[in-house]
Amino acid sequence: MSQSAPSGTVLQVCELLPSLEAEMAARYEVLRLHEQSDPAACLAERGAEVVAAVTSARYGVSDELMDALPELGAIVHFGVGYERTDVARARARGIDVSNTPDVLTDCVADLAVGGLIDVLRGLSAADRYVRRGEWVPGGFGLRTKVSGKRVGVLGLGRIGRAIARRLEGFGAEISYHSRRPVEGVGYRYAASARELAAGADVLVIATAGGAGTSGLVSAEVLAELGPRGYLVNIARGSVVDEPALVSALVEGRLAGAALDVFADEPNVPAALLDRDDVVLLPHIASATRETREAMGELTFRNLERYLAEGTLVTPVPAS
């Protein structure tokens, strides 16, 4: 941790929430990298001025950008994710890293449960059915009950626990897998993602993204979930072997999926676009006015404290 208040320029890596941008501009000297016609030339000229970088979970701070900022002391993320930033590399250079935990937990958990209900009961598909003028008695067909299902939560952090608590209200039988058992919870612990999927009707992905979880939900995990199983992903597209997921859905080896994230956003596999057993969402789990403003406020508080005291409000925990 830095011990003194740094003085210098704030680098804005990408477009951010308008209210956050306005507050930053009103208080600090801000260099908007994403607006530069020649970012490399701009960094060569002004990179040494930068003491803090504000970015989003989508962009992070690349190794190349980090190297262009010799006085950088803090990377402040708008969002809970930070997998686009090499945190270990940053720390080795004495750079502190923050994100915005907690403030988006409720909205993300709400959407996970909404997606689960939608894909099991076919709500989006039924809506399209009615809008197409195809409604005839009994024509839509039967779907799957939500209450009482066995739900495996992959990643029992803040968001995973919030999802599990909500699903308790549906009488769900909750199990989970994390890197290690979580103290103080009564849910069944599965030793692997495969074991978790084997004992679940629905697998909900709530783990962090990044290299450590890339492809964690593999073809083998999907096979354990089986042709009557469902997948819900509100975490990161990288966690799932997306080609294996598409194949399982197309070939009927998985009953359905609700997906808010994809491997190559905003590109969605074409094979999924016309399927009524898949709910497709444009990465909107935290996209409410209330949550985004709370994320912006926490981002600014991290920046403000760093520039005033050399510390952060919500530093990323050591792994």
Side-chain angles (χ1 to χ4, degrees):
M1 278 288 187
S2 302
Q3 297 300 316
S4 59
S7 177
T9 298
V10 174
L11 183 71
Q12 181 180 328
V13 175
C14 55
E15 187 175 0
L16 296 168
L17 191 72
S19 58
L20 173 59
E21 290 190 358
E23 196 161 14
M24 287 167 53
R27 292 279 300 276
Y28 306 114
E29 175 69 24
V30 178
L31 175 60
R32 300 173 186 263
L33 186 63
H34 61 295
E35 295 180 354
Q36 304 301 314
S37 58
D38 189 343
C42 176
L43 290 170
E45 180 182 351
R46 301 191 59 188
E49 302 172 17
V50 173
V51 295
V54 183
T55 186
S56 71
R58 179 178 178 183
Y59 291 94
V61 170
S62 67
D63 292 353
E64 182 181 16
L65 178 54
M66 207 182 297
D67 290 342
L69 306 172
E71 300 302 316
L72 184 65
I75 299 172
V76 179
H77 290 86
F78 174 85
V80 71
Y82 47 85
E83 65 272 14
R84 296 283 184 174
T85 299
D86 188 335
V87 176
R89 190 173 190 271
R91 286 186 170 138
R93 270 193 49 186
I95 301 169
D96 292 333
V97 182
S98 71
N99 65 341
T100 57
D102 297 321
V103 293
L104 48 67
T105 296
D106 284 337
C107 280
V108 176
D110 290 348
L111 192 86
V113 175
L116 186 155
I117 295 171
D118 192 334
V119 70
L120 267 67
R121 293 299 307 272
L123 302 186
S124 294
D127 175 84
R128 291 189 293 270
Y129 173 78
V130 172
R131 291 175 189 272
R132 289 194 301 263
E134 297 177 0
W135 186 4
V136 295
F140 182 66
L142 303 178
R143 292 299 191 268
T144 301
K145 182 179 179 180
V146 173
S147 297
K149 283 292 180 287
R150 301 175 302 160
V151 179
V153 180
L154 184 60
L156 202 71
R158 295 176 178 90
I159 293 171
R161 289 193 296 271
I163 293 168
R165 287 194 298 270
R166 283 157 172 75
L167 291 173
E168 287 179 13
F170 290 85
E173 180 185 319
I174 307 294
S175 56
Y176 75 97
H177 171 68
S178 293
R179 285 178 295 177
R180 60 187 66 88
V182 178
E183 293 183 4
V185 300
Y187 312 130
R188 182 181 68 84
Y189 176 72
S192 68
R194 287 187 66 171
E195 181 183 319
L196 182 67
D201 303 306
V202 185
L203 181 64
V204 180
I205 304 173
T207 191
T213 59
S214 181
L216 179 60
V217 179
S218 61
E220 291 76 17
V221 171
L222 295 172
E224 295 289 357
L225 197 53
R228 299 183 68 177
Y230 294 82
L231 181 77
V232 177
N233 190 4
I234 47 77
R236 288 290 184 267
S238 61
V239 179
V240 179
D241 181 336
E242 192 167 85
L245 172 62
V246 172
S247 295
L249 288 164
V250 169
E251 295 170 11
R253 292 182 284 105
L254 193 68
L259 308 172
D260 186 46
V261 290
F262 302 88
D264 182 28
E265 297 176 7
N267 300 305
V268 176
L272 300 183
L273 296 177
D274 295 326
R275 299 192 64 84
D276 277 345
D277 55 359
V278 184
V279 176
L280 303 172
L281 302 172
H283 204 148
I284 57 171
S286 67
T288 65
R289 289 183 294 273
E290 299 90 340
T291 288
R292 289 294 168 86
E293 288 298 329
M295 289 166 61
E297 290 171 6
L298 183 52
T299 301
F300 186 78
R301 285 169 52 209
N302 272 297
L303 178 64
E304 182 180 46
R305 179 177 289 184
Y306 178 73
L307 293 175
E309 303 176 10
T311 62
L312 295 165
V313 178
T314 53
V316 169
S319 57

